[in-house]
Amino acid sequence: MADKPPVALENRGEGEDGRRYSPSAARNREPIRDVLAPLITAPARVLEIASGTGEHGAFLTSELPNLRWTYSDIDPDSLASQRAWQKADITGRLTGPLCIDASTGEWGEAEGLAKWDVVFSANMVHIAPWPAAEGLIRGAGRLLRPGGLLILYGPFARSGGIAPSNAAFDESLKSRNPDWGVRDLDVDISPRARAAGLELTAVTEMPANNLTVVFQRS
């Protein structure tokens, strides 16, 4: 992630005000909301890593009034879209964006704003080099309050098994960049989460062979 910024795997439209629109976010935002609504019932400060267009934060704060959401990214186009979504926000609970390279051991302004209740990241770990996924996990372990949640959304393998559609997606990703790929939740992600003080507490199956994965800070 430090050497190559993430790129979108889809065409993203842009409105006249600078807000960009992701077809995948339009498809998955409501299923994600349905998982988060019963999971985060108290007021919560959410740091989103790799916020992309910014649609998840805008939609989820509009739907879930207990969330205060902070964008972050390293991609200039994504940061510009997030600023536009934040400018258009009417809830007063959407902030940022912060410039964060998840692969690093220091997340700048986010460090001073800790402790966070939730670190959220959708569709990042498979389209970024592995050090970015490792850094995301370590950063969540460092910045979450005790009992805080790391929530990941996207495609995952499980204990060496992978859905055929995700296997094909994995091959496509690696053909674009050999540092990318669908990660194994049980082999790759969970052991590093435990080392960072995070325990896997929930795995929810989502449309299109995606998962929402929840880790809790001890």
Side-chain angles (χ1 to χ4, degrees):
M1 193 167 178
D3 58 342
K4 294 179 181 178
V7 298
L9 299 181
E10 60 190 358
N11 293 322
R12 293 175 170 178
E14 182 174 341
E16 292 182 359
D17 62 359
R19 286 183 288 178
R20 303 180 79 194
Y21 297 88
S22 160
S24 62
R27 291 191 298 269
N28 64 39
R29 63 185 189 174
E30 282 152 353
I32 291 173
R33 175 204 59 198
D34 294 344
V35 174
L36 267 55
L39 184 66
I40 310 173
T41 56
R45 296 170 62 241
V46 182
L47 173 62
E48 183 181 12
I49 300 299
S51 301
T53 61
E55 290 169 274
H56 282 132
F59 175 75
L60 292 168
T61 51
S62 70
E63 293 284 303
L64 304 175
N66 54 315
L67 300 185
R68 298 187 64 85
W69 196 280
T70 300
Y71 290 134
S72 77
D73 221 294
I74 61 168
D75 173 58
D77 289 341
S78 296
L79 288 165
S81 180
Q82 292 156 33
R83 291 187 192 98
W85 279 100
Q86 193 279 328
K87 185 177 180 180
D89 172 54
I90 62 172
T91 70
R93 292 180 284 105
L94 190 59
T95 63
L98 308 179
C99 187
I100 294 177
D101 179 348
S103 67
T104 66
E106 208 282 335
W107 287 2
E109 189 177 345
E111 304 277 344
L113 297 172
K115 297 293 187 178
W116 296 91
D117 299 300
V118 178
V119 172
F120 173 84
S121 188
N123 287 327
M124 185 200 91
V125 298
H126 59 286
I127 57 168
W130 178 239
E134 292 182 303
L136 169 61
I137 294 166
R138 288 194 304 268
R142 185 174 70 250
L143 298 184
L144 283 169
R145 64 167 176 79
L149 304 177
L150 169 62
I151 302 174
L152 306 177
Y153 169 87
F156 294 93
R158 296 298 309 267
S159 299
I162 188 168
S165 63
N166 284 344
F169 186 39
D170 180 62
E171 290 183 7
S172 174
L173 291 171
K174 289 175 178 174
S175 72
R176 295 167 181 254
N177 187 326
D179 292 330
W180 296 353
V182 175
R183 315 301 181 182
D184 192 305
L185 176 61
D186 305 294
V187 175
D188 300 323
I189 303 293
S190 291
R192 287 161 176 84
R194 286 193 295 272
L198 302 162
E199 289 297 327
L200 181 64
T201 58
V203 178
T204 303
E205 293 187 2
M206 306 292 281
N209 288 317
N210 290 304
L211 300 176
T212 296
V213 181
V214 180
F215 296 91
Q216 187 166 37
R217 182 74 170 87
S218 59

